Amino acid sequence: MADDVVRKVVGYLRQIEKLAEKGDLDGVLLEARLALRLCNAPSSSDTTADAGA
């Protein structure tokens, strides 16, 4: 199970690297959020929204 998560996160990181080289910041943000969700970690926008509630 953990190996699958690590492989998926590495895949997201590789995609993030490719998107960053192209300057696709929206794509980078999307992939980063997917990787964070896979790890059950909140993104900064999730924690910021919680702080305002």
Side-chain angles (χ1 to χ4, degrees), residues 14-52:
R14 287 184 177 142
Q15 186 65 22
I16 288 169
E17 182 180 36
K18 290 177 186 176
L19 292 168
E21 288 173 353
K22 294 178 183 177
D24 182 358
L25 298 183
D26 290 333
V28 168
L29 184 58
L30 175 66
E31 294 292 325
R33 286 182 176 160
L34 290 171
L36 286 169
R37 286 189 185 131
L38 185 64
C39 298
N40 292 321
S43 67
S44 63
S45 64
D46 292 340
T47 56
T48 304
D50 290 342

